[in-house]
Amino acid sequence: MENNKAIEKQTEKKDKSKKSGKPNFFKRIWIKIKEVVSELKKVTWPSFGKVVKQTGVVIAVVAVFLIVITLMDWGLTVALEQLIK
């Protein structure tokens, strides 16, 4: 009887010492890093030429909007100066 109680106490201590069954923090981080690396291997990266062309398109669109907004600002400034006079 006493032997059974001692065994039950030992198993209770082992059960309490176990956490929620999740691996420790560093193992979870390592698993996540491995998942990210495997997903990155599946990505189809564009060629260098395509990247350069798309970058040129973005720069051209930004330049056009820069010119349009600058002209609008200049026009509104001139109009406001005419109203103040």
Side-chain angles (χ1 to χ4, degrees):
M1 193 73 141
E2 290 177 22
N3 194 15
N4 289 340
K5 287 183 181 179
I7 292 172
E8 286 178 14
K9 285 183 181 180
Q10 288 177 352
T11 56
E12 285 178 12
K13 286 180 182 178
K14 288 180 183 178
D15 290 341
K16 286 181 182 178
S17 68
K18 288 183 181 178
K19 295 185 180 173
S20 62
K22 293 192 297 189
N24 72 23
F25 176 75
F26 295 108
K27 284 184 181 179
R28 286 184 287 165
I29 293 295
W30 183 247
I31 290 169
K32 188 58 73 175
I33 289 171
K34 285 172 39 177
E35 289 175 0
V36 168
V37 169
S38 75
E39 286 297 320
L40 282 174
K41 288 180 181 178
K42 296 177 186 177
V43 174
T44 56
W45 298 99
S47 65
F48 181 74
K50 190 171 186 178
V51 170
V52 170
K53 286 179 186 177
Q54 290 177 346
T55 303
V57 168
V58 169
I59 291 172
V61 169
V62 169
V64 167
F65 275 100
L66 173 71
I67 292 168
V68 168
I69 291 173
T70 302
L71 290 175
M72 288 174 55
D73 181 49
W74 176 76
L76 290 171
T77 302
V78 170
L80 186 60
E81 286 176 356
Q82 294 297 322
L83 286 173
I84 293 175
K85 286 185 180 180

